[in-house]
Amino acid sequence: MRRFITASCLLLAGLLGQASMAWANEPIIIRFSHVVADSTPKGQGALLFQKLVHERLGGKVKVEVYPNSSLFGDADELAALQNNEVQILAPSMAKFSNLSPGVQVFDLPFLFDDQAAVERFERRPHGKALLLSMVDQNIVGLAFWHNGMKQLSSSRPLQKPSDAQNLTFRIQPSSVLEAQFHAVGANSARLPFSQLRDALINGKVHGAENPWSNIHSQQLDQLQPWITESNHGFLNYMLVTNPRFWYSLPYQTRSELEVIIDEVSWSVNQAAQKLNAHDRDRVLEAGKAQLVTLSAEERAAWRQAMRPVWRRFREQIGDELIQAAIRSNGI
Ligand code: LMR
């Protein structure tokens, strides 16, 4: 009898051993889904992450990249992350509006002067804390990735705020952005990024707000005759994962992934400005859309028109957070 038990135990141990070895031999799959083109700062970042993981952790971890909403789109990607159907996303801040009110600070119009200010805010405690603000919803931020300053494209030239009156702009799912367009007498339609082109083609919307990289990669300049260089806001992303998945990874693997993410984030954020400048040049060279530039006084008028949005969201976002963001404009 004892011999039987010992033999059974050995068999079971052997089977379990085989099973865990089989598990250990399977590469860990990380699906990285996003909604923009490969050529954009986010698209390039996802591909660099895939490349570095392949070079340094090949065999142990495999990254699959799904650009252009090819796996999940704006409407379902966060739920897919929470359910572990996808393991990494980099949604723009507006997409977290319902999950973390503080994150809405990034969408307040004319708040950050430039990318350097956004970076200072993110490095300091108030900004950094936002990475952990959705942990109870099974989402944790790993890094901030930049795109660039947003410009207004439209069916007619927008020189002064009242020129936007009664136009409908496509917006991301955000009450702040809704209020921003409302402040200049315009309407807005919340639409997933993947529906933007169609909405412009079929006249559902007359305008949009995007950084140059998204304008160029979506060829919005072919659809919109005017682009106002308003620099009225900043499109920024949070690279997120699902903490249940992330903290189940073997410690060594997770640490190596985190080192890669730091390197990739640095590279994305270094390249973002250059890439947007390059895409701006390409749009202007193509000569389809006409550029509208704003004088200092005209830009001040847009700022003044949109500024009441800050007050309206002060309570929801938190005054301390807004003040911290304002301070980041100084050195
Ligand atoms: C948008 O929906 O306009 C952006 O968030 C798209 C993106 O990810 O750059």
Side-chain angles (χ1 to χ4, degrees):
M1 183 64 177
R2 191 185 297 152
R3 225 176 18 222
F4 172 74
I5 292 173
T6 312
S8 307
C9 285
L10 282 174
L11 185 67
L12 188 63
L15 285 175
L16 282 176
Q18 266 175 20
S20 68
M21 269 172 61
W23 172 249
N25 288 336
E26 290 291 323
I28 295 161
I29 306 288
I30 296 183
R31 290 191 201 92
F32 187 154
S33 168
H34 66 85
V35 302
V36 289
D38 284 335
S39 64
T40 60
K42 178 161 58 181
Q44 293 284 293
L47 292 175
L48 180 61
F49 177 62
Q50 181 181 49
K51 177 173 172 281
L52 295 185
V53 169
H54 178 71
E55 284 169 9
R56 299 188 201 162
L57 292 167
K60 265 206 280 184
V61 183
K62 184 165 180 268
V63 175
E64 297 172 357
V65 177
Y66 299 92
N68 289 317
S69 311
S70 54
L71 185 63
F72 293 104
D74 284 329
D76 49 8
E77 65 177 13
L78 281 167
L81 183 80
Q82 288 166 314
N83 297 332
N84 202 33
E85 292 166 76
V86 60
Q87 289 72 35
I88 293 195
L89 303 172
S92 59
M93 298 303 183
K95 314 273 164 78
F96 299 109
S97 298
N98 285 336
L99 302 174
S100 174
V103 173
Q104 295 179 109
V105 72
F106 288 100
D107 286 308
L108 290 177
F110 293 98
L111 177 55
F112 293 105
D113 287 346
D114 51 23
Q115 179 172 315
V118 176
E119 274 170 8
R120 279 192 289 273
F121 174 68
E122 290 169 347
R123 271 201 307 271
R124 293 174 184 171
H126 283 94
K128 232 189 224 168
L130 294 173
L131 293 170
L132 301 179
S133 63
M134 296 172 280
V135 170
D136 60 345
Q137 293 163 90
N138 204 23
I139 295 174
V140 66
L142 298 169
F144 293 113
W145 283 11
H146 304 321
N147 192 326
M149 299 301 285
K150 290 185 289 184
Q151 320 301 343
L152 294 167
S153 63
S154 65
S155 56
R156 63 175 186 236
L158 305 177
Q159 199 80 50
K160 48 187 193 311
S162 58
D163 295 333
Q165 247 170 34
N166 299 325
L167 293 179
T168 300
F169 287 81
R170 175 269 168 175
I171 55 164
Q172 306 177 72
S174 153
S175 305
V176 170
L177 298 177
E178 203 166 67
Q180 168 193 277
F181 283 109
H182 190 72
V184 293
N187 305 312
S188 57
R190 296 176 180 217
L191 290 173
F193 189 66
S194 59
Q195 290 177 24
L196 168 59
R197 274 186 61 82
D198 281 351
L200 286 168
I201 291 169
N202 64 30
K204 187 169 175 179
V205 297
H206 314 110
E209 50 162 16
N210 284 283
W212 288 107
S213 66
N214 283 356
I215 293 175
H216 181 257
S217 58
Q218 297 300 313
Q219 301 181 324
L220 301 183
D221 56 315
Q222 315 273 327
L223 305 175
Q224 297 260 263
W226 302 95
I227 302 174
T228 297
E229 195 157 36
S230 52
N231 291 318
H232 64 281
F234 192 77
L235 188 74
N236 209 29
Y237 306 114
M238 196 189 290
L239 189 78
V240 287
T241 186
N242 131 19
R244 263 182 239 144
F245 161 76
W246 200 248
Y247 295 103
S248 73
L249 293 174
Y251 175 76
Q252 185 62 29
T253 306
R254 192 171 74 240
S255 305
E256 289 178 73
L257 285 169
E258 285 169 356
V259 169
I260 294 175
I261 285 172
D262 279 352
E263 284 180 38
V264 174
S265 304
W266 186 85
S267 159
V268 168
N269 295 340
Q270 282 289 307
Q273 247 168 332
K274 229 187 282 164
L275 219 146
N276 273 290
H278 180 251
D279 286 349
R280 176 188 187 275
D281 289 347
R282 287 164 75 187
V283 167
L284 298 187
E285 267 160 37
K288 273 286 196 185
Q290 280 206 51
L291 186 71
V292 178
T293 50
L294 301 178
S295 66
E297 294 76 42
E298 284 166 341
R299 193 160 182 274
W302 283 88
R303 184 182 156 91
Q304 199 181 341
M306 291 180 166
R307 181 67 194 269
V309 175
W310 297 16
R311 209 172 31 246
R312 186 159 156 215
F313 286 86
R314 188 164 55 197
E315 212 171 305
Q316 234 185 76
I317 293 173
D319 194 40
E320 237 190 88
L321 207 54
I322 298 178
Q323 294 308 323
I326 294 171
R327 280 197 300 277
S328 66
N329 285 321
I331 300 294

